[in-house]
């Protein structure tokens, strides 16, 4: 598991990460543990909408010309 102690919302380093909120994205060796400065920035991060382009097969981006 990788660990990030930079809050992705504020881009500031999180001192003493064990005392701050976090989320774990992914599983196993490719997972990442992301620490946040506060519950507010964690909530803001979790509220970001995620696109799933692998599930949208209605659009063909191939340009055969």
């Amino acid at each position: 598991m990788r660990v990030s102690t930079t809050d992705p919302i504020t881009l500031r380093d999180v001192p003493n990460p064990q005392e701050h909120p976090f989320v774990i994205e992914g599983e196993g060796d490719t997972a990442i543990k992301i620490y946040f400065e506060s519950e507010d920035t964690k909530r803001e991060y979790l509220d970001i909408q995620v696109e799933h382009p692998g599930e949208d097969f209605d659009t063909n981006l191939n340009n055969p010309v």
Side-chain angles (χ1 to χ4, degrees):
M1 176 183 307
R2 296 173 291 150
V3 175
S4 173
T5 58
T6 302
D7 186 313
I9 301 300
T10 64
L11 300 179
R12 290 191 287 253
D13 191 46
V14 178
N16 303 321
Q18 63 276 7
E19 298 174 9
H20 288 84
F22 66 89
V23 296
I24 297 176
E25 297 280 4
E27 298 177 358
D29 292 339
T30 61
I32 184 167
K33 188 174 193 177
I34 305 168
Y35 285 96
F36 298 88
E37 286 187 299
S38 67
E39 285 293 337
D40 290 338
T41 58
K42 176 183 171 185
R43 187 172 28 262
E44 189 174 341
Y45 174 82
L46 292 173
D47 287 343
I48 295 172
Q49 295 293 318
V50 178
E51 294 182 20
H52 298 281
E55 296 173 5
D56 178 15
F57 296 110
D58 295 334
T59 305
N60 183 353
L61 299 178
N62 186 16
N63 186 355
V65 176

